[in-house]
């Protein structure tokens, strides 16, 4: 490597500038490898390491450049902030991604950028880096590209055809705070490209047949180097029927080679942003209530079909009269509660109006929103485990999606007993106050009016643990609320 | 009767066969050299592929193909007593048929769930934390080499993932503890013994990319959110010695 020192310096500056973006997920799209190419994409997402703050690293998350013409009050890269500035070249970034990827350090690239000159001028260079990766290097790994508010429709289309996932950060959850804290951005500049992406994905699904603008672009496979791999030597001794490749491919019925599996699994692939669109909302920099934030995220899921809305607790690094004081506490607990509420909406069948149906416009910081809901609605409880519907079971505190599925599965062949629940992974110290098993209630000893205090104290014991898990449990790819 | 078998899955299935047709097994262990025979009654079970095939077929037919996979995955763990766990599960399954996997409240089934979870958790984790180094192949071309020391025996479970992904270079995944490695090139792979002390010749650039990665890893952590306990929960320290960024 000739320019090692300079790459090292750039990597440091541009990683430091990118790290406050919370999303690092590599999930949402399954793509098999191809001969002569490097890479594949796993729908479940893969985490490659965890940094000292416990956040998962899945993608190489860097800014293309941190040279910025904008002056958003909350941002460390704003024009008036005195920090070292740098920019990659498209080739440097593509090379670095390839070398990291083949060592299995990363699942792909998460590329974002400050606004150098104009949004389109910056995106033009990002496009070039992605083009080198995809067509010069045959890179099939995951790419998440962050668009810049104000991007032109042509640019959105080009980036969407190269990346797996695209996103635009809303950051400030209302027009008022946008105007106050990021005066150079407009709501239209953010929402217009988001709408375009949503529409393009819908259009792509509706077009069929050959030769439309989203039809699969095929890379011509490169000639494989014709080396003989002396290390391989002769055929390995089979250690028995199940010890070699055979078992692995049993699911396919036969002992298949990778190429045969490719042929079997060939499917039409979405070309435009196959892993969908996401966004991020900042929590705690401006005065919005949890109800406003959740209502906004609900609307985004519903109207823009977003895959995820991320919440990012604002870390006060910038001094400004409009923002929390530098060094004040980061609202991690609030962020955690918002993610829990988000989970309830996406996987547990809760509506946003149910999660905040009390008088308080903010979530209870002391209790999981699911417990808080259950305490506000004693009329539904206790539920009989052997009779309640799957949807009802999901509403019981202490029962997650996996244990709910287990209960329902076992009920078809045998009644569920109280001891069975423990083995199924139900958190009984919470659940027992909300259920009956075979008609019997096991939560005696705690009065109904003391229940709230009791449950808070109980989670207090593991409070640190719970909060410790805040980040990655909810930012990573494999997540559970219970 | 205590059974001693050779540690292969076919050997274990042969034990299940003998359990029915010879004498009931109270315990099943791997036969190790230089280990003193205990006082109890013991029997060395000789792996017989015809018998193991019969048992495998019976499991697929009487329970389900999924049950055979679950038994196999349980066998891949390094847990003590896994053999008897598999035995209990299989014979419960013979009684109940495919419904056995619905009985999540049963201790026997739960144990198999737990063992399966151990394998899939570790396999998933290793897909992410395996680190390849670029080494010089015999003909001067690049070869990727990764060393790992997993609890479960799972090289064969992770090879297809990398075979599908890395189509440009041949690669080797080395299970250091079990002294074997998967060798892959193009669309094929084989398992071969590879000694613990195998030390390859790294390419010139390798050290620099490692440093870039370490630098990235350190910079990406947010100080205000430091939480080493959480980090260790996700990535237990036993894996650290094979991680470039932890060095």
């Amino acid at each position: 490597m000739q320019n090692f020192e300079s790459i090292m310096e750039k990597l440091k500056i541009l990683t430091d500038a990118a790290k406050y973006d919370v999303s690092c997920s590599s999930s949402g799209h399954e793509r098999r490898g191809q001969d002569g190419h490097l890479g594949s994409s796993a729908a479940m997402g893969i985490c490659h390491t965890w940094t000292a703050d416990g956040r998962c690293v899945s993608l190489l998350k860097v800014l293309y450049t941190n040279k910025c013409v904008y002056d958003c009050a909350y941002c460390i890269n704003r024009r008036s902030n005195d920090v070292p500035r740098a920019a990659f070249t498209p080739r440097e970034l593509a090379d670095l991604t390839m070398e990291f990827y083949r060592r299995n350090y990363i699942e792909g690239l998460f590329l974002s950028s400050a606004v150098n000159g104009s949004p389109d001028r910056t995106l033009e260079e990002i496009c070039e880096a992605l083009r080198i990766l995809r067509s010069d290097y045959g890179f099939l790994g995951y790419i998440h590209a962050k668009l810049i508010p104000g991007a032109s429709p042509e640019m959105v289309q080009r980036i969407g055809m190269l990346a797996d996932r695209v996103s635009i950060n809303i950051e400030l959850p209302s027009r008022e705070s946008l105007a106050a804290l990021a005066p150079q951005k407009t709501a239209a500049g953010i929402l217009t490209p988001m709408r375009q992406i949503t529409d393009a994905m819908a259009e792509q699904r509706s077009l069929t047949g050959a030769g439309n603008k989203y039809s699969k672009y095929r890379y011509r496979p490169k000639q494989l180097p014709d080396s003989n791999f002396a290390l391989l030597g002769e055929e390995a001794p089979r250690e028995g029927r199940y010890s070699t490749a055979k078992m692995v491919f049993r699911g396919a019925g036969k002992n298949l080679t990778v190429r045969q599996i490719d042929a079997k699994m060939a499917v039409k692939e979405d070309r435009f942003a196959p892993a969908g669109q996401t966004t991020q909302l900042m929590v705690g920099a401006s005065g919005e209530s949890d109800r406003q934030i959740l209502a906004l995220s609900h609307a985004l899921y519903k109207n823009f079909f977003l895959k995820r809305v991320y919440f990012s607790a604002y870390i006060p690094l910038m001094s400004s009269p409009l923002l929390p004081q530098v060094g004040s506490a980061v609202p991690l607990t609030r962020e955690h509660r918002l993610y829990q509420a988000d989970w309830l909406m996406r996987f547990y069948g809760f509506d946003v109006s149910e999660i905040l149906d009390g008088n308080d416009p903010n979530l209870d910081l002391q209790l999981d929103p699911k417990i808080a809901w259950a305490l506000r609605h004693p009329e539904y409880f206790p539920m009989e485990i052997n009779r309640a519907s799957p949807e009802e079971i999901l509403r019981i505190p202490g029962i997650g999606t996996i244990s709910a599925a287990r209960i329902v599965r076992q009920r078809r062949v045998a009644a569920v007993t109280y001891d069975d629940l423990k083995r199924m992974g139900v958190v009984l110290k919470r659940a027992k106050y909300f259920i009956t098993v075979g008609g019997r209630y096991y939560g005696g000893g705690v009065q109904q009016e003391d229940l709230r205090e009791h449950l808070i104290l109980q989670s207090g014991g593991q409070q640190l643990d719970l909060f410790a898990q805040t980040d990655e449990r909810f930012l990573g790819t494999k997540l559970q609320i219970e | 009767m205590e059974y001693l078998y050779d540690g292969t899955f076919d050997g274990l299935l042969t034990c299940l066969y003998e359990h029915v047709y010879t004498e009931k097994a109270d315990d099943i262990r791997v036969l190790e050299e230089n280990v003193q025979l205990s006082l109890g009654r013991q029997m060395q079970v000789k792996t017989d592929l015809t018998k193991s095939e019969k048992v495998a077929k019976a499991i697929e037919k009487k329970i389900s193909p999924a049950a055979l996979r679950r038994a196999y995955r349980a066998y891949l763990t390094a847990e003590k007593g896994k053999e008897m766990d598999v035995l209990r599960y299989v014979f419960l399954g013979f009684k109940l048929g495919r419904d056995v996997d619905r009985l999540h409240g049963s201790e026997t089934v739960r144990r198999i769930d737990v063992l399966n979870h151990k394998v899939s958790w570790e396999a998933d984790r290793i897909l992410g934390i395996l680190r390849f180094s670029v080494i010089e192949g015999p003909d001067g071309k690049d070869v990727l080499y990764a060393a790992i020391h997993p609890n479960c025996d799972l090289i064969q479970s992770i090879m297809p993932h990398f075979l599908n992904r890395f189509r440009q270079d041949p690669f080797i995944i080395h299970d250091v503890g079990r002294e074997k490695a998967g060798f892959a090139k193009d669309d094929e792979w084989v398992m071969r013994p590879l000694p613990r002390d195998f030390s390859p010749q790294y390419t010139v650039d390798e050290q620099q990319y490692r440093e870039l990665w370490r630098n990235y890893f350190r910079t990406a952590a947010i100080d205000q959110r430091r939480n080493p306990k959480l980090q260790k929960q996700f990535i237990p320290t036993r894996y650290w010695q094979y991680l470039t960024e932890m060095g």
Side-chain angles (χ1 to χ4, degrees):
Chain A
M1 238 181 128
Q2 294 149 353
N3 45 358
F4 174 68
E5 295 299 327
S6 109
I7 296 283
M8 184 67 121
E9 188 62 28
K10 287 182 184 183
L11 184 62
K12 202 173 170 57
I13 292 171
L14 295 168
T15 303
D16 203 37
K19 68 184 176 191
Y20 298 101
D21 205 308
V22 291
S23 162
C24 195
S25 121
S26 57
S27 56
H29 185 49
E30 182 83 22
R31 175 173 51 232
R32 291 189 59 79
Q34 281 177 33
D35 282 349
H37 290 65
L38 175 66
S40 61
S41 175
M44 60 171 186
I46 295 174
C47 293
H48 283 255
T49 190
W50 282 262
T51 47
D53 50 15
R55 298 194 305 162
C56 124
V57 176
S58 179
L59 305 169
L60 170 61
K61 181 161 56 180
V62 288
L63 294 193
Y64 183 80
T65 174
N66 66 342
K67 297 176 186 167
C68 201
V69 294
Y70 284 9
D71 205 29
C72 307
Y74 57 83
C75 180
I76 51 162
N77 299 315
R78 67 175 183 186
R79 192 179 55 201
S80 54
N81 196 24
D82 184 22
V83 290
R85 307 277 169 171
F88 284 115
T89 68
R91 184 70 61 179
E92 281 171 354
L93 188 60
D95 284 340
L96 191 61
T97 307
M98 290 297 279
E99 291 296 338
F100 275 13
Y101 192 88
R102 72 203 283 240
R103 288 172 175 79
N104 206 39
Y105 295 164
I106 52 171
E107 203 53 21
L109 177 64
F110 181 129
L111 190 55
S112 176
S113 184
V115 187
N116 188 11
S118 73
D120 272 19
R121 190 189 132 187
T122 314
L123 288 171
E124 186 73 51
E125 292 196 46
I126 286 181
C127 239
E128 176 58 13
L130 302 190
R131 190 201 60 77
I132 293 174
L133 273 174
R134 289 291 198 221
S135 45
D136 289 1
Y137 294 166
F139 178 70
L140 294 183
Y142 195 88
I143 295 179
H144 180 159
K146 191 137 288 232
L147 293 171
I148 297 167
S152 70
E154 295 74 26
M155 210 38 109
V156 173
Q157 175 72 19
R158 277 171 65 191
I159 301 257
M161 297 294 277
L162 289 164
D164 290 278
R165 173 166 283 181
V166 286
S167 59
I168 303 178
N169 281 359
I170 294 180
E171 300 291 14
L172 296 161
S174 72
R175 270 169 216 276
E176 296 73 49
S177 33
L178 192 67
L181 295 171
Q184 284 142 305
K185 293 183 188 167
T186 62
I190 296 171
L191 294 177
T192 313
M194 282 180 76
R195 171 52 61 192
Q196 186 191 342
I197 295 163
T198 307
D199 290 347
M201 292 195 307
E203 189 187 9
Q204 151 175 277
R205 299 259 152 81
S206 65
L207 292 177
T208 52
N212 67 62
K213 71 174 170 179
Y214 299 109
S215 40
K216 188 160 164 41
Y217 171 63
R218 288 188 187 283
Y219 306 105
R220 207 179 52 160
K222 266 190 273 180
Q223 201 62 41
L224 279 176
D226 183 28
S227 59
N228 65 343
F229 189 11
L231 275 170
L232 270 170
E234 75 265 32
E235 208 27 46
R238 298 271 294 230
E239 295 174 51
R241 181 160 170 265
Y242 297 102
S243 345
T244 55
K246 190 165 180 175
M247 188 69 188
V248 178
F249 296 135
R250 269 181 89 83
K254 278 188 242 138
N255 191 2
L256 300 175
T257 69
V258 171
R259 284 202 187 107
Q260 285 167 319
I261 293 177
D262 285 348
K264 262 185 185 282
M265 294 184 63
V267 282
K268 180 170 166 277
E269 192 184 31
D270 283 348
R271 278 289 301 148
F272 187 91
Q277 181 182 193
T278 62
T279 192
Q280 169 173 310
L281 300 175
M282 218 160 40
V283 177
S286 47
E288 287 79 9
S289 67
D290 290 347
R291 180 173 284 156
Q292 274 171 293
I293 292 174
L294 286 175
L296 175 61
S297 71
H298 176 69
L300 289 168
Y301 284 125
K302 200 162 158 252
N303 301 325
F304 288 88
F305 307 111
L306 292 196
K307 282 276 154 77
R308 280 298 291 278
V309 176
Y310 290 94
F311 305 110
S312 161
Y314 174 69
I315 300 174
L317 292 167
M318 297 290 104
S319 100
S320 156
L322 302 167
L323 289 166
Q325 206 181 344
V326 174
S328 58
V330 183
L332 289 177
T333 312
R334 186 175 172 206
E335 180 195 270
H336 176 52
R337 295 290 177 230
L338 282 167
Y339 275 119
Q340 289 181 315
D342 179 65
W343 230 251
L344 291 180
M345 293 189 331
R346 295 193 301 136
F347 301 116
Y348 288 74
F350 281 83
D351 193 79
V352 61
S353 59
E354 291 179 293
I355 294 167
L356 283 165
D357 58 4
N359 296 322
D360 194 346
N362 289 308
L363 294 166
D364 190 337
L365 288 183
Q366 289 181 297
L367 276 178
D368 181 333
K370 192 174 169 187
I371 302 179
W373 179 85
L375 289 172
R376 282 199 306 274
H377 293 278
E379 68 272 19
Y380 293 112
F381 301 101
M383 277 184 202
E384 170 54 47
I385 280 291
N386 281 300
R387 285 188 189 282
S389 70
E391 294 77 21
E392 288 169 337
I393 290 178
L394 275 179
R395 298 216 162 198
I396 301 168
I399 299 186
T401 47
I402 292 176
S403 42
R406 287 180 176 163
I407 291 169
V408 174
R409 277 165 58 86
Q410 172 161 338
R411 280 195 323 198
R412 294 180 56 173
V413 289
V416 176
T417 69
Y418 188 72
D419 288 337
D420 287 350
L421 289 177
K422 189 175 278 171
R423 287 190 282 266
M424 288 174 176
V426 173
V427 186
L428 281 171
K429 63 175 187 179
R430 280 205 283 284
K432 67 179 175 185
Y433 303 108
F434 301 95
I435 56 172
T436 59
V437 186
R440 189 168 159 200
Y441 182 67
Y442 290 81
V446 177
Q447 294 301 313
Q448 205 62 34
E449 55 271 22
D450 300 336
L451 192 49
R452 188 190 143 81
E453 262 333 281
H454 181 74
L455 288 167
I456 291 175
L457 276 178
Q458 198 181 61
S459 58
Q462 23 151 259
Q463 201 150 25
L464 271 178
D465 249 347
L466 251 173
F467 296 161
Q469 292 184 17
T470 303
D471 317 298
E472 210 19 64
R473 268 173 95 208
F474 295 94
L475 304 182
T477 48
K478 298 224 159 147
L479 304 149
Q480 274 178 292
I481 221 163
E482 296 293 345
Chain B
M1 176 74 81
E2 185 177 335
Y3 283 10
L4 300 171
Y5 78 117
D6 61 357
T8 64
F9 189 58
D10 283 304
L12 178 56
L13 291 183
T14 311
C15 289
L16 300 194
Y17 185 93
E18 302 298 348
H19 176 77
V20 178
Y21 292 103
T22 311
E23 191 180 335
K24 286 214 179 325
D26 306 318
D27 195 12
I28 305 177
R29 286 194 297 122
V30 177
L31 174 66
E32 283 164 76
E33 287 168 47
N34 311 324
V35 172
Q36 278 222 319
L37 297 179
S38 65
L39 293 170
R41 297 176 55 234
Q42 289 181 322
M43 179 170 94
Q44 282 190 31
V45 176
K46 199 165 170 300
T47 300
D48 181 332
L49 290 180
T50 333
K51 290 175 181 171
S52 76
E53 184 74 28
K54 273 185 188 161
V55 177
K57 283 264 160 58
I59 295 175
E60 284 189 321
K61 213 167 140 225
K62 290 187 172 175
I63 313 175
S64 66
L68 180 60
R69 281 199 295 277
R70 278 159 63 77
Y72 176 67
R73 291 174 80 85
Y75 150 81
L76 291 178
T77 59
E79 292 294 297
K80 259 204 153 111
K82 65 184 182 185
E83 291 87 358
M84 288 305 284
D85 292 332
V86 169
L87 182 139
R88 278 188 287 269
Y89 169 71
V90 167
F91 286 102
L92 183 67
F94 282 161
K95 270 192 196 146
L96 298 172
R98 63 189 318 124
D99 281 346
V100 68
D101 282 333
R102 289 181 179 278
L103 287 183
H104 298 284
S106 144
E107 190 53 49
T108 307
V109 179
R110 188 189 75 105
R111 183 72 190 147
I112 294 295
D113 274 344
V114 168
L115 295 182
N116 269 262
H117 180 78
K118 276 184 199 293
V119 181
S120 51
W121 181 88
E122 193 173 39
D124 279 2
R125 189 74 3 136
I126 284 179
L127 292 189
I129 65 174
L130 197 72
R131 296 285 174 261
F132 284 102
S133 302
V134 180
I135 64 173
E136 274 177 34
D139 53 2
K141 297 216 172 76
D142 286 353
V143 171
L144 301 169
Y145 168 80
I148 193 76
H149 192 162
N151 282 346
C152 304
D153 184 0
L154 39 69
I155 298 279
Q156 69 274 37
S157 318
I158 60 175
M159 285 303 280
H161 169 85
F162 290 104
L163 200 59
N164 172 37
R165 175 166 290 196
F166 293 125
R167 303 282 184 103
Q168 291 180 338
D169 299 306
F171 62 90
I172 303 165
I173 299 178
H174 187 186
D175 185 333
V176 179
R178 294 180 180 80
E179 300 203 298
K180 61 181 184 179
F183 295 80
K185 190 194 171 206
D186 296 340
D187 65 342
E188 287 174 329
W189 72 275
V190 290
M191 187 88 83
R192 300 216 63 204
L194 190 65
R196 192 180 291 266
D197 52 9
F198 176 72
S199 59
Q201 182 71 44
Y202 297 116
T203 53
V204 189
D205 286 351
E206 179 58 25
Q207 207 51 46
Q208 294 185 329
Y209 283 108
R210 287 184 185 184
E211 245 170 79
L212 283 171
W213 174 242
R214 281 191 205 112
N215 172 30
Y216 173 78
F217 176 77
R218 277 193 299 268
T219 314
I222 298 178
D223 287 342
Q224 289 88 343
R225 303 181 73 133
R226 248 183 88 77
N227 194 342
K229 197 176 145 200
L230 181 63
Q231 181 190 29
K232 287 193 185 109
Q233 196 174 313
F234 283 115
I235 183 158
T237 41
R238 68 171 183 273
Y239 298 116
W240 284 23
Q241 74 171 114
Y242 296 100
L243 280 172
T244 316
E245 62 269 27
M246 301 296 187

